[in-house]
Amino acid sequence: MFHQSGGCCDGSQPMCFQEGEFKTGGSDVCLGQVQGCKFYMSADQFEYWKHTQLILDVTPGRGSSFSLEIPMGVRFYILSVLFSEEELKNLAPLMEPVEEG
C-alpha cells in the first residue's frame, strides 16, 4: 500500500508499506490502486489535490524513513497536473471510505 500525508519532511512524499503495516483511519481516503496496491492520502491533503491528476513516479535517491524502497536506492514522488473541466466532470468517486484501525 501507499500513503501520502500532508506532513513535513518524510510525510510529504509517498511512502510504501506492506499491507497492514500502516494504520489508516477516518482521516484517510483511498484514491485508487497502483499496480494492485491501494493508494491512500490524508483527507486534508486530498482537499488540496482533488483537482489534480496525481502521478506516482520513482527516481534515484533516498526514500522516506519507513518506506519499503529505501534499500533499493530509490524514492517515490508525486507529479501533479490540473484536470481539465471535461476531465473533472468524468471523475469516478473515490474507491472506498477508510474505517478506523
Side-chain angles (χ1 to χ4, degrees):
M1 67 166 288
F2 289 94
H3 187 272
Q4 171 77 45
S5 76
C8 69
C9 308
D10 284 349
S12 60
Q13 67 186 80
M15 291 186 269
C16 183
F17 302 95
Q18 289 288 339
E19 186 73 35
E21 285 187 3
F22 182 88
K23 291 193 178 216
T24 55
S27 63
D28 294 308
V29 292
C30 184
L31 303 181
Q33 292 190 15
V34 177
Q35 296 292 312
C37 299
K38 290 182 180 178
F39 190 101
Y40 296 91
M41 177 179 284
S42 67
D44 290 343
Q45 190 71 4
F46 176 70
E47 279 302 308
Y48 290 114
W49 286 10
K50 68 183 178 183
H51 297 93
T52 62
Q53 177 183 18
L54 302 176
I55 303 160
L56 178 66
D57 209 345
V58 65
T59 189
R62 185 178 187 291
S64 293
S65 299
F66 303 105
S67 194
L68 291 176
E69 79 273 13
I70 288 177
M72 299 175 193
V74 297
R75 66 180 180 86
F76 293 108
Y77 67 100
I78 294 288
L79 296 168
S80 62
V81 178
L82 287 175
F83 285 118
S84 69
E85 289 297 321
E86 188 63 28
E87 289 170 324
L88 282 170
K89 291 177 191 173
N90 294 313
L91 287 177
L94 294 177
M95 282 188 63
E96 62 192 46
V98 174
E99 296 179 15
E100 293 289 330

